[in-house]
């Protein structure tokens, strides 16, 4: 293979990147610009044209999937095995290094790598041994602190004693945690990177060996590197011209996870002889999508500068839909997907992207109602999420004290000092006496079977459940859910978790309140179930249906963060409202707002052919109904790339609405929206939606006393008030 075969498939700027002289290189690769192809052809040229051995190549990716794709491309290009190349994630390559040099790293040969769950459980055991109250010092919060310090390259031994109570307590646990890991030969994910850096930094001979071996070092998604990852790269490439970086400052969206967009700018000062090449030709999206995305991202300051373009034509205008509420938004999206499928498209070609995990519930519900399979990419469906299952378990136990599974799930969630020994005794006696765990616990308490500490903890739990049952007896369903997630301590526990995960758990719990508020209880159900029992049955059934697998043709649901690196012919970017997207936390923080804008840019550039942007003029989210303002990002998109659409004249739309493109009030033709009506059985209500025609026409009404119901107009006999 000669150089012609390497560069012929590439465009002009890709060729420049592949054939550039040996010097520090930064390739600013826009979305859909073929960066993986560039890396594969670059490595191919270095092996076949420049004569490097595969062993001289180090290539770092951010996911195992990306590493596998790069390895496959190189093997197909060169028709050789890429096994001798070190191609993998930072964690995978660090693990490989430490296995080879465990002695130099001060690790036993059989050191064990622990994942996030193992680390969490270890911290919980540590807190117990230190007599530290989990309720005041949540293990997740401590886990976040330890990992964040390691990502910054900071050991506990190097941290000062001074500081507030929080700092001192975190430092105490961090030191104890490091001691346990060292004695037990345990290595967590953050430790892999920190230890790999230390073993090279502290062993100059070893560092020299790898500097000589890796004559070319390539890094993909460089904008997502954290402090310790960049420090590791600098060690390997110091005083050399062999660092080749591919990144995009416009797609840096993981600041909350420790990624440092500053590394892109630091590289330019650390490697003064560097060259920058921009890949701006896009092979994914239409011209209109790219124009809108370019103008949007130009509102960020301090960019390195890049303008995506395509030679494939403008394509369709971006469609903007203003929904009356979140239900209307979900209904509109699912109807458009059904039309896409009816026109010959695949379900799997459609993706629904949202800012918050809690938003998935409305779409999951609507997809199931029309019998359309779906997949929640990179996460669990709403009713399968741990925090939701915890809250539902409390509801189940309050409703039925004989529910052993619910009892076991919540007796120590949040932690209340009921240990494994106490639970083992309750289980044993329950089996011997053929009684439920709840009944057995009451009997053992009356028999004074436990230590005073265990007795107090268990009595407190029993009293909590009884009090909740009594105080929630006459409340509406959603009020019961709200009371339970607050009084059990679930909300407070997850609020103490640092980072996006804790925020997402709180949002999901608050969305559960909304789900209960909107639950359509049929008083005439065949099973003669009460509202609580029917809601719990609904949740159990919804958790187990319509979820597609990886190979099934099903609609894709995911957060915007999960969507990075993916592409779909049909994309719905939903919930574009200030306070939701951009998030409320970022509105008054310039740096966070810019990252939110980059996240919007990433979402828009996932679309290949058709892009819908939607927002709701009124939204009930996290248990609260608010009048929403269209996202400021909508006002930053050029009007000539967008068309405002509506489903039909009867769709649930307000009489007037603020145009997100201009901020002006516009008049909208409507049909029956907001009319006050009366029904002989259900009482007075307000019309929310109308759909269908003729005998199939039906109306959605929010009744004052019983909530939202769908009724067939042919039989409803509604009276307009």
């Amino acid at each position: 293979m000669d150089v012609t075969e390497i560069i012929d498939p590439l465009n002009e700027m890709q060729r420049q990147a592949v054939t550039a002289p040996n010097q520090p290189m930064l390739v600013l690769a826009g979305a859909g610009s073929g960066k993986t192809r560039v890396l594969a052809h670059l490595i191919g040229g270095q092996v076949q044209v420049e004569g490097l051995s595969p062993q001289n190549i180090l290539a770092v990716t951010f996911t195992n999937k990306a590493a596998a794709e790069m390895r496959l491309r190189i093997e197909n290009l060169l028709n050789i095995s890429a096994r001798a190349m070190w191609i993998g994630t930072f964690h995978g390559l660090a693990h490989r290094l430490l296995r080879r040099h465990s002695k130099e790293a001060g690790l036993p040969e059989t050191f064990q790598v622990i994942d996030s769950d193992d680390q969490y459980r270890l911290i919980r055991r540590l807190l117990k041994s230190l007599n530290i109250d989990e309720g005041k010092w949540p293990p997740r919060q401590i886990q976040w602190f330890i990992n964040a310090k390691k990502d910054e390259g900071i050991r506990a031994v190097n941290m000062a004693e001074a500081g507030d109570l929080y700092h001192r307590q975190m430092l105490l646990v961090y030191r104890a945690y490091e001691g346990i890991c060292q004695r037990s030969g345990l290595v967590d994910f953050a430790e892999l990177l920190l230890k790999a850096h230390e073993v090279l930094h502290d062993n100059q001979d070893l560092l020299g060996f790898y500097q000589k071996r890796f004559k070319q070092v390539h890094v993909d998604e460089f904008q997502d590197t954290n402090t310790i990852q960049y420090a590791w790269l600098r060690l390997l490439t110091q005083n050399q011209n062999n660092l080749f970086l591919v990144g995009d400052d416009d797609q840096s969206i993981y600041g909350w996870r420790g990624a440092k967009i500053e590394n892109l700018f630091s590289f330019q000062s650390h490697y003064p002889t560097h060259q920058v090449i921009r890949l701006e030709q896009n092979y994914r999206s239409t011209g209109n999508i790219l124009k809108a995305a370019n103008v949007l991202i130009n509102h960020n300051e301090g960019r390195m500068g890049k303008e995506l373009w395509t030679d494939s034509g403008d394509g369709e205008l971006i469609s903007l839909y203003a929904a009356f509420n979140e239900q209307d938004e979900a209904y509109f999206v699912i109807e458009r997907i059904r039309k896409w499928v009816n026109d010959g498209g695949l379900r799997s070609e459609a993706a629904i992207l949202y800012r918050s995990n809690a938003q998935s519930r409305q779409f999951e519900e609507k997809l199931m109602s029309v019998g359309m399979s779906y997949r929640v990419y990179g996460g669990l469906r709403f009713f399968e999420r741990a925090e939701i299952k915890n809250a539902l378990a409390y509801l189940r136990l309050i409703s039925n004290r004989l529910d052993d599974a619910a009892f076991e799930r919540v007796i120590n969630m949040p932690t209340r000092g009921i240990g494994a020994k106490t639970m083992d005794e309750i289980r044993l006696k329950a089996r011997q006496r053929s009684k439920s765990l709840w009944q057995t616990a009451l009997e053992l308490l009356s028999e004074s079977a436990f230590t005073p500490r265990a007795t107090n903890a268990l009595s407190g739990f029993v009293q909590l459940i009884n009090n909740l049952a009594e105080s929630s007896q006459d409340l509406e369903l959603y009020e019961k859910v709200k009371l339970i997630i607050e009084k059990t301590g679930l909300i407070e526990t997850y609020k103490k978790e640092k980072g996006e995960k804790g925020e997402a758990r709180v949002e999901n719990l608050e969305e559960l309140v909304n789900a209960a508020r909107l639950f359509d209880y049929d008083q005439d159900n065949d099973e003669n179930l009460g509202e609580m029992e029917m809601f719990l049955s609904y949740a159990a059934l919804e958790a187990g249906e319509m979820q597609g697998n990886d190979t099934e043709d099903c609609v894709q649901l995911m957060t915007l963060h999960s969507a990075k690196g993916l592409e779909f012919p049909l994309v719905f970017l939903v919930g574009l409202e200030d306070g939701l997207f951009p998030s409320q936390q970022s509105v008054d923080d310039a740096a966070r707002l810019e990252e939110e804008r980059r996240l919007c840019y990433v979402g828009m550039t996932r679309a290949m052919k058709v892009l819908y942007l939607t927002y709701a003029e009124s939204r009930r989210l996290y248990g609260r109904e608010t009048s929403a303002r269209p996202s400021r990002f909508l006002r930053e998109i050029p009007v000539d790339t967008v068309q405002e659409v509506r489903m039909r004249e009867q769709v649930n739309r307000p009489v007037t609405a603020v145009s997100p493109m201009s901020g002006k009030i516009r008049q909208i033709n409507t049909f029956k929206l907001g009319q006050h009506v009366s029904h002989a059985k259900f009482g007075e209500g307000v019309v929310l939606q109308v759909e269908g025609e003729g005998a199939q026409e039906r109306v959605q009404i929010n009744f004052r006393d019983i909530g939202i119901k769908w009724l067939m107009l042919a039989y409803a006999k509604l009276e307009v008030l």
Side-chain angles (χ1 to χ4, degrees):
M1 175 179 290
D2 58 23
V3 67
T4 304
E5 293 176 271
I6 293 293
I7 68 173
D8 270 358
L10 307 178
N11 67 35
E12 179 58 31
M13 298 310 295
Q14 291 172 339
R15 290 180 183 181
Q16 285 190 30
V18 168
T19 60
N22 195 31
Q23 65 186 112
M25 177 72 67
L26 172 58
V27 176
L28 281 179
S33 63
K35 63 183 178 65
T36 306
R37 167 182 278 195
V38 166
L39 282 168
H41 282 256
L42 173 67
I43 293 171
Q46 289 169 343
V47 173
Q48 291 286 31
V49 179
E50 297 178 26
L52 287 186
S53 165
Q55 296 184 14
N56 297 140
I57 303 293
L58 174 70
V60 188
T61 65
F62 263 79
T63 65
N64 289 315
K65 179 182 178 182
E69 181 182 354
M70 186 180 296
R71 192 177 294 111
L72 180 62
R73 287 203 185 201
I74 292 169
E75 290 179 340
N76 289 339
L77 183 65
L78 301 180
N79 198 26
I80 64 169
S81 172
R83 186 171 300 175
M85 299 179 187
W86 279 38
I87 301 176
T89 64
F90 275 103
H91 291 95
L93 296 173
H95 178 248
R96 188 171 180 176
L97 180 72
L98 293 177
R99 285 295 179 196
R100 292 191 172 199
H101 305 286
S102 57
K103 182 178 180 180
E104 293 90 334
L107 293 169
E109 287 186 16
T110 57
F111 72 83
Q112 179 184 352
V113 179
I114 58 174
D115 62 16
S116 180
D117 288 339
D118 293 331
Q119 184 187 33
Y120 173 75
R121 285 190 287 269
L122 177 58
I123 291 172
R124 289 194 66 187
R125 293 197 297 271
L126 177 60
L127 293 180
K128 185 176 181 180
S129 70
L130 295 173
N131 291 318
I132 294 176
D133 184 0
E134 281 190 29
K136 295 180 179 178
W137 304 97
R140 292 288 183 200
Q141 187 180 40
I142 295 169
Q143 183 180 26
W144 176 87
F145 177 88
I146 291 172
N147 291 338
K149 291 301 178 187
K150 289 187 177 186
D151 285 346
E152 290 292 323
I154 302 173
R155 290 280 186 202
V157 69
N158 299 323
M159 295 175 62
E161 293 277 0
D164 55 20
L165 175 61
Y166 171 81
H167 179 90
R168 294 196 302 272
Q169 192 78 318
M170 291 292 131
L171 180 54
L172 170 68
V173 180
Y174 187 11
R175 286 176 175 169
Y177 172 80
E178 285 208 302
I180 286 181
C181 289
Q182 289 167 7
R183 291 191 299 271
S184 306
L186 302 177
V187 177
D188 58 52
F189 284 171
E191 180 72 12
L192 284 171
L193 300 174
L194 180 53
K195 183 69 76 173
H197 176 266
E198 290 173 340
V199 74
L200 292 176
H201 182 273
D202 299 339
N203 294 271
Q204 289 300 306
D205 290 343
L206 189 63
L207 175 60
F209 169 80
Y210 279 105
Q211 286 177 334
K212 185 176 180 180
R213 170 174 178 166
F214 296 130
K215 298 185 183 303
Q216 292 295 332
V217 177
H218 310 94
V219 185
D220 192 12
E221 305 286 9
F222 179 67
Q223 77 279 351
D224 293 334
T225 52
N226 62 26
T227 298
I228 197 67
Q229 289 165 344
Y230 182 42
W232 188 70
L233 292 171
R234 289 190 66 197
L235 268 181
L236 283 173
T237 60
Q238 63 187 8
N239 303 319
Q240 301 185 81
N241 292 321
N242 62 340
L243 183 57
F244 188 99
L245 307 175
V246 178
D248 183 2
D249 56 327
D250 292 334
Q251 295 190 76
S252 178
I253 59 173
Y254 295 115
W256 52 272
R257 208 164 64 185
K260 301 285 188 182
I261 191 174
E262 297 85 358
N263 289 346
L264 276 166
F265 302 96
S266 297
F267 163 78
Q268 297 176 79
S269 59
H270 291 148
Y271 298 83
T273 62
H274 75 279
Q275 180 182 357
V276 176
I277 291 178
R278 289 167 172 79
L279 302 185
E280 298 171 300
Q281 184 173 0
N282 178 280
Y283 294 94
R284 175 189 298 154
S285 305
T286 63
N288 274 314
I289 293 172
L290 295 180
K291 179 180 178 181
N294 285 331
V295 174
L296 171 78
I297 202 63
N298 267 330
H299 285 78
N300 276 3
E301 297 180 358
R303 295 175 60 235
M304 300 185 73
K306 188 170 64 287
E307 190 89 1
L308 296 182
W309 62 275
T310 181
D311 59 8
S312 62
D314 290 341
E316 295 184 19
L317 291 173
I318 297 169
S319 295
L320 174 66
Y321 181 68
F324 170 50
N325 57 19
E326 72 277 8
Q327 297 177 71
D328 178 26
E329 179 183 52
Y331 177 75
F332 170 80
V333 169
I334 273 59
E335 282 300 304
R336 289 293 158 129
I337 294 175
R338 291 177 73 178
K339 183 179 185 302
W340 175 271
V341 174
N342 290 339
D343 290 344
L346 299 175
R347 295 186 184 92
S348 57
E349 294 174 329
I352 305 172
L353 312 183
Y354 37 80
R355 178 64 182 85
S356 165
N357 259 310
Q359 291 171 259
S360 76
R361 189 189 66 80
Q362 290 287 345
F363 297 99
E364 292 184 55
E365 186 178 86
K366 291 292 190 294
L367 284 163
M368 283 193 296
S369 72
V370 299
M372 189 175 291
S373 60
Y374 66 92
R375 177 187 176 216
V376 179
Y377 185 95
L380 296 170
R381 290 167 291 171
F382 183 79
F383 284 105
E384 288 183 339
R385 295 165 191 164
E387 60 275 14
I388 299 301
K389 294 174 87 170
N390 290 337
L392 293 175
Y394 272 110
L395 291 171
R396 285 164 43 201
L397 189 60
I398 288 168
S399 180
N400 175 20
R401 304 295 202 285
L402 303 182
D403 189 332
D404 283 353
F407 182 93
E408 289 222 41
R409 185 172 188 95
V410 301
I411 189 171
N412 213 33
M413 170 49 68
T415 179
R416 49 178 57 90
I418 300 174
K421 187 175 179 181
T422 301
M423 276 306 303
D424 288 343
E425 181 67 13
I426 295 173
R427 292 189 196 96
L428 175 63
K429 295 301 183 184
R431 286 195 298 270
Q432 291 175 349
R433 301 177 184 184
S434 298
K435 293 186 176 180
S436 72
L437 295 176
W438 176 269
Q439 292 169 321
T440 304
L442 295 180
E443 290 179 358
L444 292 175
L445 284 173
S446 67
E447 297 165 9
S448 301
F450 304 115
T451 64
R453 182 177 178 181
T455 297
N456 288 337
L458 186 58
S459 297
F461 173 69
V462 169
Q463 189 64 43
L464 171 69
I465 298 300
N466 287 335
N467 288 345
L468 284 173
E470 183 177 351
S471 58
S472 66
Q473 190 170 5
D474 298 323
L475 297 179
E476 295 286 339
L477 177 62
Y478 79 92
E479 294 174 321
K480 291 181 181 180
V481 176
K482 185 176 181 181
L483 178 75
I484 284 163
I485 65 175
E486 290 175 352
K487 296 300 183 183
T488 58
L490 288 176
I491 283 282
E492 192 61 32
T493 295
Y494 294 126
K495 279 183 176 178
K496 291 178 181 177
E497 284 191 21
K498 293 286 186 178
E500 284 246 329
K501 183 174 286 188
E503 291 177 12
R505 292 187 190 279
V506 172
E507 290 170 354
N508 286 333
L509 285 174
E510 292 174 335
E511 177 61 16
L512 183 63
V513 177
N514 190 32
R517 187 192 296 267
L518 298 176
F519 178 64
D520 186 11
Y521 172 55
D522 182 3
Q523 299 182 53
D524 301 323
N525 64 87
D526 294 337
E527 298 85 0
N528 200 29
L529 294 176
E531 187 175 29
M532 174 72 82
E533 289 75 18
M534 180 164 278
F535 178 70
L536 291 170
S537 297
Y538 154 77
L541 290 172
E542 184 163 301
E545 292 185 358
M546 303 308 296
Q547 173 81 332
N549 56 41
D550 291 353
T551 59
E552 187 178 348
D553 178 27
C554 52
V555 179
Q556 309 294 304
L557 276 68
M558 67 194 73
T559 64
L560 283 151
H561 285 100
S562 297
K564 188 168 179 291
L566 303 177
E567 59 183 31
F568 304 92
L570 173 63
V571 168
F572 297 87
L573 184 46
V574 302
L576 277 158
E577 299 138 34
D578 270 0
L580 180 59
F581 189 33
S583 66
Q584 191 61 49
Q585 295 91 333
S586 68
V587 169
D588 298 320
D589 184 323
R592 294 184 69 170
L593 183 61
E594 290 209 344
E595 181 159 318
E596 290 280 297
R597 188 176 285 110
R598 292 194 293 269
L599 190 59
C600 187
Y601 173 85
V602 166
M604 293 173 68
T605 54
R606 299 311 94 194
M608 301 166 69
K609 296 180 180 179
V610 182
L611 174 62
Y612 283 89
L613 308 175
T614 71
Y615 69 97
E617 292 160 340
S618 170
R619 182 178 296 273
R620 184 178 293 279
L621 191 62
Y622 319 144
R624 298 180 296 275
E625 184 167 1
T626 58
S627 295
R629 286 184 59 83
S631 171
R632 65 195 64 195
F633 298 154
L634 292 175
R635 297 192 292 275
E636 295 172 355
I637 295 172
V639 294
D640 60 345
T641 64
V642 177
Q643 60 180 347
E644 294 191 55
V645 299
R646 46 185 134 150
M647 291 180 65
R648 56 174 66 88
E649 288 301 312
Q650 300 110 313
V651 77
N652 59 330
R653 299 283 295 276
V655 173
T656 59
V658 178
S659 171
M661 311 307 295
S662 65
K664 297 179 181 178
I665 301 297
R666 56 186 168 83
Q667 191 74 22
I668 299 175
N669 295 324
T670 60
F671 179 69
K672 295 186 178 179
L673 172 70
Q675 283 184 324
H676 289 258
V677 297
S678 177
H679 185 273
K681 179 179 179 181
F682 304 130
E684 294 184 12
V686 178
V687 175
L688 298 182
Q689 290 193 68
V690 179
E691 67 176 33
E693 297 177 355
Q696 300 303 312
E697 189 173 12
R698 64 175 189 158
V699 61
Q700 186 187 52
I701 301 173
N702 186 5
F703 288 103
R704 181 185 302 168
D705 297 327
I706 66 168
I708 296 175
K709 276 190 172 293
W710 280 101
L711 300 174
M712 299 298 292
L713 279 180
Y715 308 104
K717 298 181 180 179
L718 294 172
E719 178 185 353
V720 177
L721 299 179

